[in-house]
Amino acid sequence: MAGPRTSVVDSSRIEARRDRRGAPKGRSVDPAALAEVRRLLGDAPRRRDLLIEFLHRIQDAHGCLAAAHLVALAQEMSLAPTEVYEVATFYHHFDVVKEGDAKPPAITVRVCETLSCSMAGAPALRAAIERLGMTEVRVIGAPCVGRCEHAPVAVVGRNPVDAATPGKVEAAVRDRRTEPEPLAPIDYRAYRRGGGYRTLLDCAEGRRTPDAVIAELENSSLRGLGGAGFPTGRKWRIVRAEPAPRLLAVNLDEGEPGTFKDRHYLERDPHRFLEGVLIAAWAVGTEAVYIYLRDEYAACRAMLEREIAALEADPPCPIPPIHLRRGAGAYICGEESAMIESIEGKRGMPRLRPPYVAQVGLFGRPTLEHNMETLWWVRDILEQGAARFASHGRHGRKGLRSFSVSGRVKKPGVHLAPAGITVRELIDEYCGGMAAGHEFYAYLPGGASGGILPASMGDIPLDFDTLQPHGCFIGSAAVIVLSQHDRASDAALNLLRFFADESCGQCTPCRVGTAKAVALMEHPRWDTALLGELSQAMADASICGLGQAAPNPIACVVKYFPHELKA
């Protein structure tokens, strides 16, 4: 029988292992990077919910997120490097550079490739810009940037170039115009002199009661204008009944392709929106307000920072703290729970329900979540009365709708029209008719996820609950008009590519389903049976509305445009 096994062990290796046990695991922190991160963060509290804000500071200063800075930020915030890295790599607008890799070029040109811009020639525009061969410039495709009325759009740095041409883009690059032109000055004092914040003051001083304000909103038939359409007054009543402390989260992400109404109103009358925010906060009893603004709206962000500061410096009455948070390029953060995750400094992944946001929302507190435009209407409804708002409408519907119209019309833009108007009436009465050389062929009544209908169904009232029987919905009222020069099947493929790119990846039906749908739709002939099975799985099993609604364009093409699939 053999004796015990013996071996000779290098004692120096044992000591080295012992030394490593006392040191932190993973990459060591670069002192220079740590000093730079501390300088950029300044005296800001090192709270987890500020992680995305801090990533923006580093990206803005250096043009990218280097590995050394991410490790330093993790140590400064007492987070694991993986926590910082997973957030930084989740969002489109962060450029994470691995050790040894080259930094991105000094200027990034993003060409919007979503439907309205694609119809206006974005693919050819991108190719032409690439052929210019500009040095220190990279040209990439981008999802909707919220300027569909000016299609095609390119963004040089953070500066949007409307009705873009290669020459316009080249000039912006040459002149280093990478920041947007400031918006026209807003006069806070003039808004106050014109009666602004008077309704808020009436609320704060007891001339209105929360119950009376909520009842007025219920009587107005105002519903959420971000897409879901939940009755506004009822939502306020539900959240107000939850135990304090409560919070208000405002969704200004507006990433649905074809949608730009929130930007339109925000650029022109921000204090009307802020007054609605503060009335909602008062009526529901929230202790703080968080406004989540998409990163593509850089000019709006600068303006809002300025106007919130003016309001807080001289408020008409005591107001809760207003926190403006900057998105980082993620369509999924338009979903309310994904937005809340992002505000908390995490990846924007939707939560499972229940519990609902009204019960357990931002920071675990009951949260009133609202779209920007919904709150923009609050002051008008309270001052003019619910009956006046509800008196508008056509074809049996009540209220007003802000339609973001783009595509083949003479006058694209935001058009305020009666709820229930038909798309034919909208085109003829508000959009100046179809563009020269174009005949009405099809339309999207509610943005990318709202489905596609043929012109023969152009007399359906555009409102909540009117389009569902036809497999569509109004959503954010983003109407994209197609002509005889377009194909609904091409539009559907463009939209599915968008959904595949924007899926957060959390659930398999959406992550895999959207990519598989794109691959099937790229074939000359669609396998409609397989697409039908795939669509059903996505609709039934996806966690949130992205995966559930992504199949809508497919189903509409199969049902209403079968002739295109035989061509």
Side-chain angles (χ1 to χ4, degrees), residues 293-418:
L293 178 67
R294 71 181 310 201
D295 195 32
E296 288 83 351
Y297 292 171
C300 288
R301 184 174 66 255
M303 178 269 291
L304 260 184
E305 288 173 345
R306 184 177 65 246
E307 297 311 311
I308 290 172
L311 172 62
E312 291 179 330
D314 183 23
C317 58
I319 62 175
I322 302 174
H323 305 281
L324 181 61
R325 291 297 175 85
R326 178 179 173 186
Y331 166 71
I332 192 65
C333 290
E335 196 275 340
E336 61 177 6
S337 65
M339 176 191 70
I340 284 172
E341 288 285 300
S342 191
I343 293 174
E344 292 179 354
K346 305 171 188 174
R347 293 176 295 171
M349 289 189 165
R351 298 174 179 176
L352 291 170
R353 299 176 183 81
Y356 296 95
V357 166
Q359 302 162 315
V360 182
L362 186 57
F363 306 122
R365 300 178 181 180
T367 302
L368 177 66
E369 187 275 341
H370 260 312
N371 164 260
M372 177 269 176
E373 194 206 347
T374 310
L375 295 167
W376 195 88
W377 283 108
V378 167
R379 176 190 163 185
D380 279 7
I381 289 171
L382 295 180
E383 289 183 357
Q384 301 172 12
R388 180 169 179 177
F389 181 82
S391 68
H392 298 277
R394 291 187 188 178
H395 308 296
R397 314 306 295 179
K398 292 183 179 181
L400 293 165
R401 294 286 175 271
S402 301
F403 294 95
S404 304
V405 186
S406 60
R408 311 300 193 180
V409 295
K410 286 182 181 177
K411 291 169 52 182
V414 174
H415 299 290
L416 183 62

Side-chain angles (χ1 to χ4, degrees), residues 21 148 190 261 281 302 350 353 372 454 517 519 565:
R21 290 191 193 109
C148 316
K261 61 184 178 60
R353 299 176 183 81
M372 177 269 176
L565 304 181

Side-chain angles (χ1 to χ4, degrees), residues 51-57 59-60 65 87-95 110 143 252-253 292-297 301 325-334 339 342-343 346-348 502:
L51 174 57
I52 294 173
E53 298 295 313
F54 293 159
L55 290 170
H56 274 303
R57 293 189 189 186
Q59 171 100 9
D60 289 348
L65 297 173
V87 172
T89 55
F90 181 85
Y91 296 91
H92 294 314
H93 291 184
F94 291 141
D95 286 311
R110 290 181 168 86
L252 243 168
D253 189 64
Y292 188 84
L293 178 67
R294 71 181 310 201
D295 195 32
E296 288 83 351
Y297 292 171
R301 184 174 66 255
R325 291 297 175 85
R326 178 179 173 186
Y331 166 71
I332 192 65
C333 290
M339 176 191 70
S342 191
I343 293 174
K346 305 171 188 174
R347 293 176 295 171
E502 294 294 331

Side-chain angles (χ1 to χ4, degrees), residues 248-270:
L248 170 59
V250 183
N251 192 333
L252 243 168
D253 189 64
E254 193 173 43
E256 180 76 10
T259 310
F260 46 91
K261 61 184 178 60
D262 290 355
R263 174 183 58 79
H264 172 89
Y265 287 124
L266 187 62
E267 290 174 345
R268 289 158 177 78
D269 203 349

Side-chain angles (χ1 to χ4, degrees), residues 159-172:
N159 179 30
V161 179
D162 294 338
T165 64
K168 284 185 178 181
V169 171
E170 186 176 31

